[in-house]
Amino acid sequence: MYTPESVQGLMLATQEWLEKTSEGPSGQPSLGEFLEKDVESLQAVLRFHEFRYYVENQALISDGQYDQLYKTLAAIEALHPQWVRADSPTQRVGSSLNQNFTTLPHLVPMLSLDNSYNADDLTDFDRKAREGAKGEILAYCVEPKFDGASISLVYENDQLVRALTRGDGVAGEEITQNIRQIRSIPLSAPFSSLGIEQIEIRGEIILSKQAFDAYNQKLIEKGESPLANPRNAAAGSLRMKDPKEVAERNLDGFFYHISHVQSTSGQLAFDTHAAALDLLWKMGFRSPQKEKKVFADIEGVIAFCAQYEAQRDDLPYEIDGMVVKVNQLALQDRLGMTSHHPRWAIAFKFKARQATTVLRQ
């Protein structure tokens, strides 16, 4: 998403803003000094540091420095509300309670995945896929199956305009305001640079193990009951009435599928699933771009799934399996889908964790 040249420019702008905001009486500059173009620069700086912190986990400034810049932006925008953009970092936190959630249709239905539980199931999936491919060479893209709450995002003219829960797969609850609290999800993305006018993206909202433990500790300190597991905590957070409470849970989002694209050219900017994940990463989304792997045969897929199952407890987030997808989008279209699931994808489910319970009399 950010080139070395743009990073250099944003870091230079960051330093300039940090110097500006430490000047003047009480350590604050005169807010009347700034122009609209200055506000746009500060908004861009803050979006960049949100990406580095929440998506790449590589902060380049301290929390105190970020807060310093954020408070300056909020103060300037309060004086000049006409300069506030929909994707400004200050526009994440909601100021009012949601009274209810409206049900809206997905642009493309969200189907479930067929499940597999062993190597034989994957081998059978491979056999059916190759029969459907009719001799065409195919490859598989494999990625973690994140254990969270499914979500669908719609961007129009580069702006996030709608976020829906999975619902019944055809329609979901509109929870855009709550999704705006998740700082790893961009409020805008430069899709128009690829000629994309509208795009629907699928993903999973999760709570990392660290964030889950930290939030539970807060609940315990308040004398409240801790949450059962990260998945339920993430799902429950999406339907909370107060967006500010959503922000406190430090949710995260992984995005792994582009379900709909409307472009000026009428053509896609990618022709494989792996390329779609790379595109999402470049656009500023946390996709499994680093976790994914492409294989030419099912034997490689099976070994990769076993490898991830063995290391699942070492990951910073919960996964309950792997997702195997035919990599070529044209071949996905040819294989099609049933009324329940696509024929070009399957979930490999991990074995349930086992534990011993001691009954004390």
Side-chain angles (χ1 to χ4, degrees):
M1 180 178 183
Y2 293 99
T3 65
E5 293 76 14
S6 64
V7 170
Q8 184 177 7
L10 286 162
M11 286 305 298
L12 179 61
T14 299
Q15 187 58 42
E16 292 174 348
W17 274 104
L18 287 172
E19 292 174 358
K20 287 179 183 178
T21 54
S22 64
E23 298 171 354
S26 303
Q28 293 295 327
S30 170
L31 299 181
E33 298 173 357
F34 299 117
L35 303 175
E36 184 173 3
K37 64 178 182 179
D38 298 318
V39 175
E40 293 174 355
S41 166
L42 182 52
Q43 290 169 345
V45 164
L46 286 168
R47 282 195 294 268
F48 166 66
H49 287 292
E50 286 183 343
F51 175 80
R52 294 289 305 205
Y53 185 88
Y54 293 102
V55 177
E56 293 196 327
N57 294 318
Q58 295 178 345
L60 296 178
I61 58 175
S62 68
D63 290 348
Q65 289 173 319
Y66 177 89
D67 290 342
Q68 180 180 329
L69 298 180
Y70 182 93
K71 290 177 180 177
T72 298
L73 176 61
I76 297 173
E77 289 180 344
L79 285 178
H80 303 281
Q82 71 275 20
W83 293 349
V84 179
R85 292 166 49 108
D87 61 346
S88 172
T90 62
Q91 298 306 294
R92 290 190 181 273
V93 178
S95 58
S96 61
L97 301 182
N98 295 317
Q99 298 304 314
N100 51 55
F101 297 98
T102 302
T103 299
L104 297 173
H106 297 293
L107 297 182
V108 176
M110 295 181 72
L111 299 180
S112 300
L113 290 177
D114 198 13
N115 292 327
S116 64
Y117 298 92
N118 52 51
D120 290 342
D121 290 341
L122 289 178
T123 300
D124 190 53
F125 167 74
D126 175 61
R127 176 185 60 80
K128 293 176 181 177
R130 292 187 184 280
E131 288 176 355
K134 300 185 183 303
E136 183 175 340
I137 297 175
L138 59 76
Y140 296 112
C141 185
V142 189
E143 65 208 46
K145 184 177 180 295
F146 302 100
D147 195 11
S150 298
I151 194 74
S152 174
L153 305 182
V154 175
Y155 287 77
E156 295 177 353
N157 300 318
D158 293 346
Q159 303 294 316
L160 172 64
V161 297
R162 185 163 67 253
L164 303 180
T165 64
R166 184 184 185 280
D168 62 3
V170 176
E173 292 178 311
E174 196 266 324
I175 54 168
T176 310
Q177 190 59 43
N178 284 351
I179 290 300
R180 293 174 72 89
Q181 316 316 312
I182 304 174
R183 294 184 178 273
S184 61
I185 297 178
L187 301 181
S188 65
F191 290 115
S192 59
S193 65
L194 302 174
I196 297 174
E197 300 173 319
Q198 183 187 61
I199 188 168
E200 185 179 47
I201 302 168
R202 301 280 162 75
E204 203 85 357
I205 301 303
I206 65 171
L207 195 61
S208 71
K209 295 174 182 177
Q210 182 179 5
F212 176 71
D213 291 340
Y215 189 75
N216 264 350
Q217 184 58 41
K218 289 182 180 179
L219 292 178
I220 293 171
E221 291 172 357
K222 293 179 181 179
E224 300 177 16
S225 300
L227 301 174
N229 56 63
R231 183 186 187 282
N232 290 351
S237 300
L238 297 184
R239 301 188 72 257
M240 297 182 75
K241 296 297 185 182
D242 190 348
K244 293 180 180 179
E245 291 186 24
V246 179
E248 290 180 1
R249 295 201 177 189
N250 292 320
L251 297 167
D252 204 350
F254 271 94
F255 293 89
Y256 47 73
H257 184 64
I258 297 175
S259 55
H260 167 81
V261 173
Q262 178 181 312
S263 68
T264 54
S265 66
Q267 297 180 339
L268 294 178
F270 49 91
D271 59 5
T272 67
H273 176 67
L277 296 182
D278 292 339
L279 183 148
L280 288 175
W281 182 266
K282 291 175 183 176
M283 292 290 105
F285 295 85
R286 196 169 197 181
S287 76
Q289 183 259 358
K290 297 179 180 178
E291 291 85 355
K292 76 176 187 305
K293 198 165 184 179
V294 176
F295 298 91
D297 54 62
I298 200 65
E299 289 76 20
V301 171
I302 293 170
F304 190 58
C305 289
Q307 173 190 332
Y308 251 90
E309 184 167 17
Q311 68 183 38
R312 64 187 295 196
D313 291 332
D314 299 326
L315 298 175
Y317 41 78
E318 293 285 355
I319 65 174
D320 60 356
M322 304 294 287
V323 178
V324 182
K325 299 177 181 177
V326 171
N327 195 34
Q328 300 96 322
L329 300 188
L331 194 47
Q332 288 184 7
D333 289 340
R334 185 187 306 173
L335 292 172
M337 56 193 68
T338 70
S339 60
H340 174 265
H341 62 266
R343 294 189 179 93
W344 44 264
I346 193 168
F348 175 78
K349 301 298 290 290
F350 292 158
K351 297 180 182 64
R353 291 187 176 95
Q354 294 183 345
T356 300
T357 300
V358 177
L359 179 61
R360 300 183 183 277
Q361 294 183 343

Short mmCIF file of all heavy atoms in Angstrom, two decimals, residues 293-327:
data_model
loop_
_atom_site.label_atom_id
_atom_site.label_comp_id
_atom_site.label_asym_id
_atom_site.label_seq_id
_atom_site.Cartn_x
_atom_site.Cartn_y
_atom_site.Cartn_z
N LYS A 293 -0.51 -19.88 0.99
CA LYS A 293 0.48 -20.59 0.18
C LYS A 293 -0.24 -21.28 -0.97
O LYS A 293 -1.35 -21.79 -0.80
CB LYS A 293 1.25 -21.61 1.02
CG LYS A 293 2.56 -22.06 0.38
CD LYS A 293 3.45 -22.77 1.38
CE LYS A 293 4.79 -23.13 0.74
NZ LYS A 293 5.71 -23.80 1.70
N VAL A 294 0.40 -21.30 -2.14
CA VAL A 294 -0.19 -21.89 -3.33
C VAL A 294 0.50 -23.22 -3.64
O VAL A 294 1.74 -23.32 -3.57
CB VAL A 294 -0.07 -20.93 -4.54
CG1 VAL A 294 -0.61 -21.59 -5.80
CG2 VAL A 294 -0.82 -19.63 -4.26
N PHE A 295 -0.30 -24.24 -3.96
CA PHE A 295 0.22 -25.57 -4.24
C PHE A 295 -0.33 -26.08 -5.57
O PHE A 295 -1.46 -25.79 -5.95
CB PHE A 295 -0.17 -26.55 -3.13
CG PHE A 295 0.38 -26.21 -1.79
CD1 PHE A 295 -0.34 -25.41 -0.91
CD2 PHE A 295 1.63 -26.67 -1.40
CE1 PHE A 295 0.16 -25.08 0.34
CE2 PHE A 295 2.15 -26.35 -0.16
CZ PHE A 295 1.42 -25.55 0.72
N ALA A 296 0.48 -26.88 -6.25
CA ALA A 296 0.07 -27.46 -7.52
C ALA A 296 -0.60 -28.81 -7.34
O ALA A 296 -1.19 -29.34 -8.29
CB ALA A 296 1.27 -27.59 -8.45
N ASP A 297 -0.51 -29.39 -6.14
CA ASP A 297 -1.08 -30.71 -5.91
C ASP A 297 -1.67 -30.78 -4.51
O ASP A 297 -1.34 -29.99 -3.63
CB ASP A 297 -0.04 -31.81 -6.10
CG ASP A 297 1.20 -31.59 -5.24
OD1 ASP A 297 1.08 -31.57 -4.00
OD2 ASP A 297 2.29 -31.43 -5.82
N ILE A 298 -2.55 -31.77 -4.31
CA ILE A 298 -3.25 -31.89 -3.04
C ILE A 298 -2.33 -32.40 -1.94
O ILE A 298 -2.57 -32.16 -0.75
CB ILE A 298 -4.49 -32.80 -3.20
CG1 ILE A 298 -5.49 -32.54 -2.06
CG2 ILE A 298 -4.09 -34.26 -3.26
CD1 ILE A 298 -6.08 -31.15 -2.07
N GLU A 299 -1.25 -33.09 -2.29
CA GLU A 299 -0.32 -33.59 -1.28
C GLU A 299 0.33 -32.42 -0.54
O GLU A 299 0.49 -32.46 0.69
CB GLU A 299 0.75 -34.48 -1.92
CG GLU A 299 0.24 -35.83 -2.39
CD GLU A 299 -0.55 -35.75 -3.68
OE1 GLU A 299 -0.40 -34.74 -4.41
OE2 GLU A 299 -1.32 -36.69 -3.96
N GLY A 300 0.69 -31.37 -1.26
CA GLY A 300 1.25 -30.19 -0.62
C GLY A 300 0.23 -29.51 0.28
O GLY A 300 0.57 -29.00 1.36
N VAL A 301 -1.02 -29.48 -0.16
CA VAL A 301 -2.11 -28.90 0.64
C VAL A 301 -2.26 -29.65 1.95
O VAL A 301 -2.35 -29.04 3.03
CB VAL A 301 -3.43 -28.93 -0.15
CG1 VAL A 301 -4.60 -28.54 0.75
CG2 VAL A 301 -3.37 -28.02 -1.36
N ILE A 302 -2.28 -30.98 1.88
CA ILE A 302 -2.46 -31.80 3.08
C ILE A 302 -1.33 -31.58 4.08
O ILE A 302 -1.57 -31.42 5.28
CB ILE A 302 -2.56 -33.29 2.68
CG1 ILE A 302 -3.85 -33.53 1.89
CG2 ILE A 302 -2.51 -34.19 3.90
CD1 ILE A 302 -3.93 -34.90 1.24
N ALA A 303 -0.10 -31.51 3.60
CA ALA A 303 1.05 -31.30 4.48
C ALA A 303 1.00 -29.92 5.13
O ALA A 303 1.31 -29.75 6.31
CB ALA A 303 2.35 -31.47 3.69
N PHE A 304 0.57 -28.91 4.37
CA PHE A 304 0.49 -27.54 4.89
C PHE A 304 -0.59 -27.45 5.97
O PHE A 304 -0.40 -26.79 7.00
CB PHE A 304 0.18 -26.59 3.74
CG PHE A 304 0.31 -25.12 4.08
CD1 PHE A 304 1.50 -24.60 4.56
CD2 PHE A 304 -0.77 -24.27 3.92
CE1 PHE A 304 1.62 -23.24 4.86
CE2 PHE A 304 -0.67 -22.92 4.20
CZ PHE A 304 0.54 -22.41 4.68
N CYS A 305 -1.72 -28.12 5.75
CA CYS A 305 -2.79 -28.13 6.75
C CYS A 305 -2.31 -28.79 8.05
O CYS A 305 -2.59 -28.29 9.15
CB CYS A 305 -4.01 -28.87 6.22
SG CYS A 305 -4.91 -28.00 4.91
N ALA A 306 -1.57 -29.88 7.92
CA ALA A 306 -1.05 -30.56 9.11
C ALA A 306 -0.05 -29.69 9.85
O ALA A 306 -0.01 -29.66 11.08
CB ALA A 306 -0.40 -31.88 8.69
N GLN A 307 0.75 -28.95 9.09
CA GLN A 307 1.74 -28.05 9.70
C GLN A 307 1.05 -26.97 10.53
O GLN A 307 1.44 -26.69 11.67
CB GLN A 307 2.58 -27.41 8.61
CG GLN A 307 3.54 -26.33 9.09
CD GLN A 307 4.18 -25.57 7.93
OE1 GLN A 307 4.34 -26.11 6.83
NE2 GLN A 307 4.53 -24.33 8.16
N TYR A 308 0.00 -26.38 9.98
CA TYR A 308 -0.71 -25.32 10.70
C TYR A 308 -1.44 -25.87 11.91
O TYR A 308 -1.52 -25.21 12.96
CB TYR A 308 -1.69 -24.60 9.77
CG TYR A 308 -1.24 -23.20 9.42
CD1 TYR A 308 -0.45 -22.96 8.31
CD2 TYR A 308 -1.59 -22.13 10.23
CE1 TYR A 308 -0.03 -21.68 7.99
CE2 TYR A 308 -1.17 -20.84 9.93
CZ TYR A 308 -0.39 -20.62 8.81
OH TYR A 308 0.03 -19.35 8.52
N GLU A 309 -1.99 -27.08 11.79
CA GLU A 309 -2.69 -27.67 12.94
C GLU A 309 -1.72 -27.89 14.09
O GLU A 309 -2.08 -27.68 15.26
CB GLU A 309 -3.34 -28.99 12.54
CG GLU A 309 -4.17 -29.61 13.67
CD GLU A 309 -5.06 -30.73 13.22
OE1 GLU A 309 -4.83 -31.26 12.11
OE2 GLU A 309 -6.00 -31.09 13.95
N ALA A 310 -0.49 -28.27 13.79
CA ALA A 310 0.50 -28.52 14.84
C ALA A 310 0.94 -27.24 15.54
O ALA A 310 1.31 -27.26 16.72
CB ALA A 310 1.72 -29.23 14.23
N GLN A 311 0.84 -26.09 14.84
CA GLN A 311 1.32 -24.83 15.42
C GLN A 311 0.19 -23.88 15.80
O GLN A 311 0.43 -22.72 16.15
CB GLN A 311 2.26 -24.13 14.43
CG GLN A 311 1.55 -23.61 13.17
CD GLN A 311 2.51 -22.98 12.18
OE1 GLN A 311 3.63 -23.44 11.98
NE2 GLN A 311 2.07 -21.91 11.53
N ARG A 312 -1.06 -24.36 15.77
CA ARG A 312 -2.20 -23.47 16.01
C ARG A 312 -2.13 -22.76 17.35
O ARG A 312 -2.54 -21.60 17.48
CB ARG A 312 -3.51 -24.25 15.90
CG ARG A 312 -3.67 -25.32 16.96
CD ARG A 312 -4.89 -26.21 16.75
NE ARG A 312 -6.15 -25.50 16.88
CZ ARG A 312 -7.32 -26.10 17.03
NH1 ARG A 312 -7.39 -27.44 17.08
NH2 ARG A 312 -8.42 -25.41 17.16
N ASP A 313 -1.61 -23.42 18.39
CA ASP A 313 -1.55 -22.81 19.72
C ASP A 313 -0.50 -21.72 19.81
O ASP A 313 -0.51 -20.92 20.77
CB ASP A 313 -1.28 -23.88 20.78
CG ASP A 313 -2.46 -24.82 20.97
OD1 ASP A 313 -3.60 -24.38 20.74
OD2 ASP A 313 -2.24 -25.99 21.32
N ASP A 314 0.41 -21.65 18.85
CA ASP A 314 1.47 -20.64 18.86
C ASP A 314 1.07 -19.38 18.11
O ASP A 314 1.80 -18.38 18.14
CB ASP A 314 2.74 -21.22 18.23
CG ASP A 314 3.28 -22.42 19.00
OD1 ASP A 314 3.13 -22.44 20.24
OD2 ASP A 314 3.83 -23.34 18.36
N LEU A 315 -0.08 -19.40 17.45
CA LEU A 315 -0.53 -18.24 16.69
C LEU A 315 -1.12 -17.18 17.63
O LEU A 315 -1.65 -17.51 18.69
CB LEU A 315 -1.58 -18.66 15.66
CG LEU A 315 -1.12 -19.66 14.60
CD1 LEU A 315 -2.30 -20.08 13.73
CD2 LEU A 315 -0.01 -19.06 13.74
N PRO A 316 -1.07 -15.90 17.23
CA PRO A 316 -1.62 -14.84 18.09
C PRO A 316 -3.14 -14.75 18.05
O PRO A 316 -3.73 -13.95 18.78
CB PRO A 316 -0.99 -13.57 17.51
CG PRO A 316 -0.70 -13.90 16.09
CD PRO A 316 -0.36 -15.35 16.06
N TYR A 317 -3.78 -15.54 17.21
CA TYR A 317 -5.24 -15.52 17.08
C TYR A 317 -5.72 -16.96 16.94
O TYR A 317 -4.95 -17.88 16.64
CB TYR A 317 -5.65 -14.71 15.86
CG TYR A 317 -4.77 -14.94 14.65
CD1 TYR A 317 -4.92 -16.08 13.86
CD2 TYR A 317 -3.77 -14.04 14.33
CE1 TYR A 317 -4.11 -16.32 12.79
CE2 TYR A 317 -2.93 -14.27 13.24
CZ TYR A 317 -3.10 -15.42 12.48
OH TYR A 317 -2.28 -15.66 11.41
N GLU A 318 -7.02 -17.16 17.16
CA GLU A 318 -7.59 -18.49 17.08
C GLU A 318 -7.95 -18.83 15.63
O GLU A 318 -8.53 -18.02 14.91
CB GLU A 318 -8.86 -18.58 17.94
CG GLU A 318 -8.61 -18.45 19.44
CD GLU A 318 -8.00 -19.71 20.05
OE1 GLU A 318 -7.84 -20.71 19.32
OE2 GLU A 318 -7.67 -19.68 21.24
N ILE A 319 -7.59 -20.05 15.22
CA ILE A 319 -8.07 -20.59 13.96
C ILE A 319 -8.62 -21.99 14.25
O ILE A 319 -8.17 -22.66 15.18
CB ILE A 319 -6.97 -20.65 12.88
CG1 ILE A 319 -5.86 -21.63 13.28
CG2 ILE A 319 -6.40 -19.27 12.61
CD1 ILE A 319 -4.83 -21.84 12.17
N ASP A 320 -9.62 -22.40 13.47
CA ASP A 320 -10.19 -23.73 13.70
C ASP A 320 -10.02 -24.64 12.49
O ASP A 320 -10.66 -25.68 12.39
CB ASP A 320 -11.66 -23.64 14.11
CG ASP A 320 -12.52 -22.95 13.05
OD1 ASP A 320 -11.97 -22.48 12.04
OD2 ASP A 320 -13.74 -22.89 13.24
N GLY A 321 -9.18 -24.22 11.56
CA GLY A 321 -8.92 -25.04 10.40
C GLY A 321 -8.21 -24.25 9.31
O GLY A 321 -7.64 -23.19 9.57
N MET A 322 -8.24 -24.79 8.10
CA MET A 322 -7.66 -24.14 6.94
C MET A 322 -8.71 -24.11 5.84
O MET A 322 -9.63 -24.94 5.81
CB MET A 322 -6.42 -24.90 6.45
CG MET A 322 -5.35 -25.09 7.50
SD MET A 322 -4.58 -23.53 8.03
CE MET A 322 -3.58 -23.15 6.59
N VAL A 323 -8.58 -23.15 4.93
CA VAL A 323 -9.49 -23.06 3.79
C VAL A 323 -8.68 -23.31 2.52
O VAL A 323 -7.64 -22.68 2.30
CB VAL A 323 -10.18 -21.68 3.72
CG1 VAL A 323 -11.08 -21.61 2.48
CG2 VAL A 323 -11.00 -21.44 4.98
N VAL A 324 -9.17 -24.23 1.71
CA VAL A 324 -8.52 -24.61 0.46
C VAL A 324 -9.39 -24.12 -0.68
O VAL A 324 -10.57 -24.44 -0.76
CB VAL A 324 -8.34 -26.14 0.37
CG1 VAL A 324 -7.61 -26.52 -0.92
CG2 VAL A 324 -7.61 -26.67 1.60
N LYS A 325 -8.80 -23.32 -1.58
CA LYS A 325 -9.57 -22.76 -2.70
C LYS A 325 -8.83 -23.01 -4.01
O LYS A 325 -7.60 -22.88 -4.07
CB LYS A 325 -9.76 -21.24 -2.52
CG LYS A 325 -10.51 -20.85 -1.26
CD LYS A 325 -10.60 -19.35 -1.11
CE LYS A 325 -11.34 -18.97 0.17
NZ LYS A 325 -11.38 -17.50 0.38
N VAL A 326 -9.57 -23.34 -5.06
CA VAL A 326 -8.99 -23.36 -6.39
C VAL A 326 -8.51 -21.95 -6.68
O VAL A 326 -9.25 -20.98 -6.51
CB VAL A 326 -10.03 -23.81 -7.44
CG1 VAL A 326 -9.50 -23.61 -8.85
CG2 VAL A 326 -10.41 -25.27 -7.20
N ASN A 327 -7.26 -21.82 -7.12
CA ASN A 327 -6.65 -20.50 -7.20
C ASN A 327 -7.15 -19.69 -8.39
O ASN A 327 -7.36 -18.48 -8.29
CB ASN A 327 -5.12 -20.64 -7.26
CG ASN A 327 -4.41 -19.34 -6.98
OD1 ASN A 327 -4.88 -18.52 -6.18
ND2 ASN A 327 -3.28 -19.13 -7.63
#
